[in-house]
Amino acid sequence: MTGITGAEQELVELVRQRYASAASSVTAGGERAGCGGAEAESSGASCCGPEPVEVSETFGSTLYAATERDELPVAAVAASLGCGNPTAVAELRAGERVLDLGSGGGIDVLLSARRVGPTGFAYGVDMTDEMLDLARTNATQAGATNVEFVKGTIEDVPLPDAAVDVVISNCVINLSVDKPKVLAEMFRVLAPGGRIGISDVVAEDQLTPAERAERGSYVGCIAGALSRTEYLDGLARVGFVETSVEFTHQAADGMHAAIVRAVKPT
């Protein structure tokens, strides 16, 4: 990334370290103590595989349907750090080309690949080598052949203009230090008539940046969140139409997980 300050570069490195550590934690997981025992069998719990990195009512794999989680390698589910299920909100269709910004362990790319089918394709972009390695392993285990994970930043996506029909992202845009560039890149890589279906943390309009920072850290997806109006204005500024930001559940006081939708004009 160019044109960012020293303080912003420090935030980029903090985010990179946070997600590299999360990927390494999942990769180092393996079987957990007590797996396969009578207690696990009687409870119906699945205790094999790595521990989820983060699971709560706000973040993590519990935001996906059990039927979706059960379709995927346990490491892809364990590495889920998002605040929603963008593959559902984007209403993916067979044959579409999909791009996931900040694809992490690959859960949304793998789900997208299933939704778009063999005539479609799903790309994932991530800046963290550890997450890319994990995602590629998960794709191999899932037998997904219509996917590709590419190293890059969401501010400078390594895909050509009009390369995809849909852009998704799961609680990643709030981590960027140059959100206008991210929004512009989404518009650029979309084909005319393409759309975005994004899950992200969004602040209520009355909260100042300082008040957002009081409610949580930058790497925790809180301090860097845009407000609803900032999101809508930013999308319109780069050319999107039919924009909307819908709050779904609370992430912190005055801040919410949200569904963000918009369309690139034909």
Side-chain angles (χ1 to χ4, degrees):
M1 258 181 286
T2 60
I4 64 174
T5 67
E8 289 171 337
Q9 186 59 47
E10 288 181 8
L11 286 175
V12 172
E13 290 307 314
L14 283 173
V15 170
R16 190 193 311 273
Q17 292 168 16
R18 154 72 164 125
Y19 289 91
S21 176
S24 297
S25 175
V26 169
T27 300
E31 289 198 353
R32 306 205 291 277
C35 181
E39 182 179 346
E41 292 177 3
S42 65
S43 68
S46 174
C47 64
C48 295
E51 289 276 10
V53 175
E54 185 167 4
V55 175
S56 69
E57 293 180 356
T58 304
F59 298 100
S61 60
T62 57
L63 299 171
Y64 296 83
T67 52
E68 291 177 314
R69 298 196 302 267
D70 292 345
E71 292 176 348
L72 301 175
V74 290
V77 177
S80 174
L81 293 161
C83 58
N85 183 350
T87 60
V89 305
E91 299 176 354
L92 302 178
R93 298 184 285 269
E96 291 187 316
R97 302 162 297 167
V98 186
L99 167 64
D100 181 18
L101 297 181
S103 48
I107 185 170
D108 293 317
V109 172
L110 297 179
L111 288 173
S112 295
R114 289 175 179 268
R115 286 176 181 265
V116 300
T119 60
F121 202 86
Y123 297 95
V125 171
D126 203 281
M127 69 175 181
T128 309
D129 289 327
E130 292 84 351
M131 278 295 188
L132 288 166
D133 290 343
L134 177 60
R136 289 165 182 152
T137 298
N138 288 332
T140 298
Q141 292 180 358
T145 57
N146 58 336
V147 305
E148 182 179 358
F149 293 95
V150 183
K151 185 173 183 178
T153 68
I154 63 175
E155 298 85 2
D156 189 13
V157 177
L159 290 179
D161 295 355
V164 296
D165 305 298
V166 187
V167 173
I168 64 173
S169 185
N170 197 349
C171 209
V172 173
I173 295 175
N174 64 76
L175 296 170
S176 173
V177 298
D178 190 352
K179 295 175 182 65
K181 186 70 165 61
V182 177
L183 302 184
E185 279 293 270
M186 290 195 297
F187 192 86
R188 179 186 68 79
V189 299
L190 276 173
R195 65 193 186 281
I196 65 171
I198 291 169
S199 296
D200 209 3
V201 173
V202 180
E204 295 176 8
D205 287 336
Q206 75 273 12
L207 291 186
T208 66
E211 289 170 333
R212 298 170 214 174
E214 292 172 355
R215 285 156 169 77
S217 69
Y218 199 95
V219 296
C221 301
I222 299 297
L226 295 171
S227 72
R228 185 203 293 265
T229 294
E230 288 168 344
Y231 233 125
L232 292 171
D233 288 350
L235 290 167
R237 193 172 297 116
V238 298
F240 281 107
V241 296
E242 299 180 37
T243 59
S244 66
V245 175
E246 176 190 349
F247 293 159
T248 58
H249 55 275
Q250 183 169 283
D253 183 25
M255 306 186 71
H256 307 265
I259 295 168
V260 181
R261 293 187 175 96
V263 175
K264 180 174 180 175
T266 56

